[in-house]
């Protein structure tokens, strides 16, 4: 490689290392830091973020990128080379970083800083009107953000592209409409069967010490590598990485409910294994990272749901759970357990939703964000709009806003466009598994025996190793030969829940 | 404050935050990082250290310091103000940082990088000759270092001042000679009593889970604040801090030996409590740090030995240990326990030495470092010189160099001058406690009941809160009204061990 590219690469490595240090300040805050350490830590994070921002948007960086881009082009590196991909990535990132006026960023900090405590209090006291003026400001900032970022067709495109590069709102809308049209009747059909699945045994005393002892077993069962990983404890679980060889997760331990640690661990492992799988040739560059929130979520959902809630997985591993909790699960058969962890139940809270109803929570938010962004509803009109959609999609209406439109922290800051990536993840996951098993039927045989080696091989090759070289739509198309397709998810859920609920057609 | 000072302070805050991020990369490496994460982490640490070095020695920083120094002087801030102290500190630090040529630093990295694995292998295989050529290079680098740093009286002054600013080798030598002259006969007298103390019960199975459960009790018993602290697990225990409100320790857990976790925890708490006690007015500056290695060690030894191995402490807290380990300690009386943890026994390994013989290990190294530095002995002559001194001071000779001059990692890099701070810490600790109890006799009453509130008050006021405002000798003099004085240590050990060993005079 030429000099210009190497000079840029050096700078990118430095910036990368500084970003990882900043991320470690965050990880440590959530996992180890004593309560009083918060004030000093906030300053440290802020200092590093300022350094990162100023390095990343400096004129020097701009010039380095331009010179290296010329060199890479003149040397004729192919489109999918690391060199060409990195230049594409940093050119776009630099331009976007320069777009936001300092004044806009300062206002975001100010508005969300003020909105957060008001929202927390409003949720606690079920007082939406006190939060409404702040939400109006968030809506306004989101509208400005869309104008700053720019868009061709719809405002919302600009926002969703921050999390899912290159995706069009119109395409997402069409796909979500299809999912909704197929899922709503399925949920209704299940509802009509009545409360036929008993999952009360999942809600009893489960020793936290035992959970912590067996969590590594289930992490390894889905393919997580502890030589390159680590489990910490945090209130809100997340995955984070400091290199492909140090991709960690956090888990929470609920002593009254078995699911959070079990499926939370497998979910976060899915995220972390994506990072563990990025190519060595991408190390210390921004390409060494999952390409989008949606594709990332496809990996977490793959291992939490498609693998972790499958019959084959528990056929192989249920004995381990029974050994750990003999008095709680000793009398529970594999079939009882499998049905309980897959129970479908329309409910108010997104983060507690089951695999089938979850997308409805997202589609609802996706629709409402657009209405707010496009000025169709104001903050004050949100509760009514929310409740109407809940009734249409899930057949239930929350008794108060705390269990309705006040439940998520997301709208205390301008993060419109983020929510849909959760549902995109579910759809990508099924689409990827569908292609993978078509290309290699051994994957299915393995999954039926609780094994994941062949699946990991396929994901590593078609998703993980390219990191952020390709935009999400491009990556999905390279991997599956198709655009985003909701049919695999629809087929998977229809088949799975028809069997569980004995929905004879 | 004027503009120039505030501009400097801003820069210093940034540098501080970056340094803390670099330290967190280190803490996390020792406590959480998975094995494969090492390569990426090394790069991250190196990147941040380069940034810190280049910020700290930049011409911009030099100019800021100069302008702020002029301003502080013209505004007439008193000597002991934060402003004047900070200017003193950073002016000296900047000048020292500029002294080392890049070429010298690169050679240190190179030589120690090569020496480390050779030393590890040599120690394992008891093969000193293979390490000797590397030690000769370390000696040469140390000689160069002394010339670079400069000195008035003796070469060794330059080196010891890196860890203990302003101390003169001649003064240390005189004090160490006094200690040696008094300690050697005391050790001999104890030896002549024969093996009268049974400490075998300390060496049996002690559950690690139980150790981890009760460690916080003993940390709090010596005054450690968990709202501003945290215990992690590491192979080589250390204390580290990210602010005065986040000062942590690590401990190791030996399942066959009670002492390491117990006294290790109290030792590291002593270090951490020094940092927790630095003044709020020093936050985010390099003054928010213990002033020297020696004074730092005085705080760790204070709580490990003067408090943690005292009869009063165990009179108050032994029941807690007995409850935790009933089958191991149920039949052991308080007096038996107290004697066992204070057993004196000349031995080969410094880190396993008892309170009385420990200083002999240090004085031996202090003398040998000078002989090597001044060209009186070469590396090849070290083993013989080592063994002679062991025989003179402790009456024993190691059967091989692995248990002799190869035991410490320190001489794989030019760190001459570091060892004596361990013994200085022991001496400072006794001197400080002596003054403290003279000024406030309630301290002794409390200690006799296992309480440390009054002691902490005194240390906070006279040592902790001033951080690095004063050089160590100046701080000791402000606190005790005296220069370094070995007599309190000599009196303390004479009294303590005469009683334990019934040395009737």
């Amino acid at each position: 490689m030429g000099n210009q590219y190497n000079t840029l690469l050096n700078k990118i490595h430095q910036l990368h290392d500084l970003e990882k240090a900043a991320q470690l300040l965050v990880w440590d805050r959530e996992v180890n830091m004593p309560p009083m350490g918060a004030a000093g830590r906030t300053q440290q994070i802020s200092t590093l973020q300022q350094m990162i921002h100023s390095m990343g948007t400096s004129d020097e960086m701009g010039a380095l990128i331009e010179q290296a881009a010329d060199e890479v082009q003149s040397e004729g590196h192919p489109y999918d080379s690391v060199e060409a991909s990195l230049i594409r990535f940093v050119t776009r990132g630099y331009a976007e970083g320069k777009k936001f006026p300092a004044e806009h960023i300062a206002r975001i900090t100010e508005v969300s800083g003020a909105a957060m405590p008001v929202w927390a209090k409003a949720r606690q006291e079920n007082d939406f009107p006190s939060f409404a003026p702040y939400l109006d400001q968030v809506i306004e900032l989101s509208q400005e953000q869309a104008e700053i970022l720019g868009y061709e067709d719809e405002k919302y495109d600009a926002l969703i592209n921050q999390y899912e590069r290159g995706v069009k709102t119109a395409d997402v809308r069409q796909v979500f409409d299809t999912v909704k049209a197929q899922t709503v009747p399925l949920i209704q059909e299940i509802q009509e069967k009545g409360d036929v699945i008993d999952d009360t045994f999942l809600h009893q005393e489960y020793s936290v010490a035992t959970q912590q002892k067996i969590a590594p077993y289930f992490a390894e069962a889905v393919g997580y590598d502890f030589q390159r990983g680590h489990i910490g404890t945090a209130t809100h679980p997340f995955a984070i990485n400091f290199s492909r060889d140090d991709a960690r997760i956090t888990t929470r331990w609920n002593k009254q409910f078995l699911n959070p640690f079990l499926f939370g661990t497998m979910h976060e492992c899915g995220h972390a294994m994506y990072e563990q799988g990025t190519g060595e040739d991408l190390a210390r560059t921004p390409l060494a990272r999952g390409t989008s929130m949606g594709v990332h979520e496809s990996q977490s959902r793959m291992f939490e749901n498609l693998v972790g809630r499958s019959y084959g997985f528990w056929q192989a591993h249920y004995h381990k759970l029974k050994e750990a909790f003999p008095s709680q699960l000793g009398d529970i058969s594999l079939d009882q357990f499998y049905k309980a962890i897959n129970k479908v139940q329309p409910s108010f809270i997104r983060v507690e939703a089951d695999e089938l109803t979850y997308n409805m929570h997202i589609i609802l938010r996706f629709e409402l964000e657009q209405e707010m962004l496009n000025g169709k509803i104001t903050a004050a009109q949100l509760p009514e709009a929310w409740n109407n959609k809940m009734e249409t999609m899930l057949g239930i209406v929350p008794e108060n806003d705390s269990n309705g439109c006040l439940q998520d922290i997301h709208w205390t800051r301008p993060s419109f466009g983020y929510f849909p990536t959760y549902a995109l993840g579910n759809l990508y996951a099924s689409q990827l598994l569908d292609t993978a098993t078509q290309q290699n039927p051994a994957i299915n045989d393995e999954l039926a025996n609780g094994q994941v080696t062949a699946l990991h091989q396929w994901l590593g090759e078609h998703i993980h190793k390219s990191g952020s070289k390709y935009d999400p739509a491009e990556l999905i198309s390279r991997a599956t030969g198709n655009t985003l397709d909701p049919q695999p998810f629809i087929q998977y859920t229809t088949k799975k829940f028809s069997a569980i609920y004995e929905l004879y057609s």
Side-chain angles (χ1 to χ4, degrees), chain A:
Chain A
M1 276 308 310
N3 277 334
Q4 308 293 345
Y5 181 80
N6 280 329
T7 309
L8 172 66
L9 201 55
N10 243 324
K11 203 79 193 170
I12 284 175
H13 286 335
Q14 278 180 14
L15 192 54
H16 167 276
D17 289 346
L18 195 57
E19 280 169 351
K20 292 305 177 185
Q23 285 175 290
L24 184 62
L25 290 167
V26 173
W27 148 276
D28 179 81
R29 180 186 64 192
E30 302 302 319
V31 177
N32 300 307
M33 193 189 71
M36 297 283 286
R41 182 53 53 88
T42 302
Q43 291 167 329
Q44 290 153 13
I45 293 171
S46 158
T47 294
L48 265 74
Q49 281 174 342
Q50 280 168 27
M51 286 183 186
I52 291 163
H53 181 77
S54 97
M55 265 178 83
T57 57
S58 68
D59 294 343
E60 184 198 355
M61 182 63 90
L64 284 175
I65 292 172
E66 219 168 290
Q67 288 152 11
D70 289 347
E71 188 182 82
V72 165
Q73 193 170 19
S74 75
E75 290 184 6
H77 295 273
Y79 175 84
D80 59 357
S81 65
V82 175
E83 292 81 358
S85 304
L86 184 58
I87 293 292
R88 281 197 304 280
F89 192 96
V90 297
T91 303
R92 183 181 49 225
Y94 182 78
E96 271 169 21
K98 296 288 266 190
K99 270 185 187 170
F100 284 102
E103 178 271 336
H104 179 79
I105 294 172
R107 270 180 52 225
I108 290 179
T109 309
E110 193 190 324
V111 169
S112 14
M116 242 283 283
V118 174
W119 164 78
K121 191 157 176 280
R123 185 172 73 157
Q124 199 172 5
E125 297 175 358
N126 183 32
D127 176 18
F128 181 80
S130 71
F131 176 60
Y134 294 88
L135 180 54
D136 275 324
Q137 290 185 62
V138 169
I139 296 172
E140 203 186 309
L141 278 171
S142 303
Q143 289 162 342
E144 281 179 39
Q145 208 168 57
E147 299 305 329
I148 290 169
L149 288 164
Y151 52 88
E152 282 173 27
D153 305 331
E154 303 185 39
K155 272 189 199 173
Y156 198 75
D157 288 351
L159 303 187
I160 198 172
N161 281 343
Q162 294 182 102
Y163 311 103
E164 209 65 16
R165 286 190 310 277
V167 158
K168 291 281 186 193
T169 308
D171 297 334
V172 174
R173 186 181 299 122
Q174 193 186 357
V175 164
F176 281 3
D177 283 347
T178 307
V179 171
K180 190 163 66 170
Q182 304 272 353
T183 307
V184 168
L186 183 57
I187 295 170
Q188 280 165 356
E189 207 178 341
I190 291 169
Q191 285 295 92
E192 283 156 16
K193 297 285 285 193
D195 190 9
V196 293
I197 292 179
D198 176 19
D199 67 347
T200 50
F201 60 84
L202 297 174
H203 298 269
Q204 53 179 319
E205 187 94 13
Y206 285 95
S207 142
V208 168
T210 310
Q211 292 183 34
Q212 293 179 336
K213 206 168 148 190
I214 62 167
Y217 174 87
F218 290 98
E220 287 180 336
V222 295
Y224 186 59
D225 177 1
F226 278 98
Q227 289 297 303
R228 306 164 58 212
H230 173 89
I231 300 185
T233 298
T235 321
H236 302 285
F238 61 99
I240 198 166
N241 74 86
F242 307 106
S243 69
R244 67 191 293 278
D245 294 324
D246 184 357
R248 306 182 189 175
I249 70 160
T250 62
T251 296
R252 68 171 180 279
W253 321 93
N254 183 329
K255 68 176 175 180
Q256 301 287 349
F257 187 23
L258 184 65
N259 292 19
F261 107 87
L262 204 52
F263 298 103
T265 297
M266 293 192 276
H267 179 98
E268 300 305 336
C269 281
H271 284 302
M273 292 185 297
Y274 189 0
E275 299 295 336
Q276 287 180 335
T278 57
E280 283 189 68
D281 52 353
L282 310 178
R284 293 180 86 203
T285 78
L287 298 183
R289 189 187 295 164
T291 191
S292 73
M293 298 306 302
V295 178
H296 237 300
E297 195 72 4
S298 79
Q299 300 307 295
S300 56
R301 289 303 199 168
M302 177 81 74
F303 290 97
E304 174 193 357
N305 287 335
L306 305 194
V307 173
R309 281 189 166 89
S310 72
Y311 195 77
F313 185 84
W314 288 107
Q315 207 162 23
H317 300 294
Y318 185 47
H319 70 96
K320 194 74 189 181
L321 203 58
K322 269 184 118 139
E323 279 164 34
F325 298 111
S327 68
Q328 293 89 338
L329 299 175
D331 294 336
I332 307 297
S333 72
L334 171 61
D335 286 26
Q336 284 175 297
F337 179 77
Y338 171 70
K339 286 183 180 181
I341 61 170
N342 284 297
K343 181 171 182 166
V344 173
Q345 179 103 62
S347 62
F348 300 120
I349 304 298
R350 174 182 61 86
V351 297
E352 295 167 4
D354 57 77
E355 194 176 357
L356 187 62
T357 59
Y358 188 90
N359 286 341
M360 300 302 104
H361 291 268
I362 298 305
I363 294 172
L364 174 150
R365 286 158 177 76
F366 169 71
E367 293 175 358
L368 292 174
E369 284 188 348
Q370 293 171 68
E371 293 183 18
M372 289 189 279
L373 186 71
N374 298 326
K376 295 212 177 122
I377 60 170
T378 61
Q381 295 166 305
L382 179 66
E384 197 192 335
W386 180 287
N387 292 352
N388 287 341
K389 284 193 190 289
M390 276 300 281
E391 184 153 30
T392 311
M393 291 193 223
L394 291 173
I396 54 175
V397 176
E399 71 285 11
N400 59 50
D401 295 331
S402 298
N403 284 334
C405 63
L406 273 175
Q407 69 184 267
D408 298 302
I409 198 173
H410 299 57
W411 291 341
T412 60
R413 52 179 190 267
S415 61
F416 286 5
Y418 187 101
F419 273 129
T421 66
Y422 291 124
L424 289 175
N426 288 328
L427 306 182
Y428 288 147
S430 282
Q431 189 176 353
L432 290 171
L433 185 57
D434 196 56
T435 306
T437 52
Q438 278 171 32
Q439 291 180 6
N440 180 10
I443 291 172
N444 258 345
D445 302 339
E446 277 197 9
L447 289 180
N449 293 306
Q451 287 161 5
V452 293
T453 311
L455 175 59
H456 266 289
Q457 233 154 30
W458 192 90
L459 290 173
E461 184 62 25
H462 293 87
I463 299 293
H464 298 175
K465 79 166 186 190
S466 64
S468 287
K469 278 167 77 172
Y470 312 116
D471 279 359
E474 187 182 358
L475 179 66
I476 294 297
S477 154
R478 281 174 172 257
T480 67
N482 201 349
T483 55
L484 171 62
D485 176 9
Q487 288 311 322
F489 176 81
I490 289 167
Q491 281 158 27
Y492 156 72
T493 46
T494 304
K495 180 170 184 303
K496 176 172 183 174
F497 293 105
S498 295
I500 290 173
Y501 281 94
E502 301 173 20
L503 307 177
Y504 309 122
S505 46

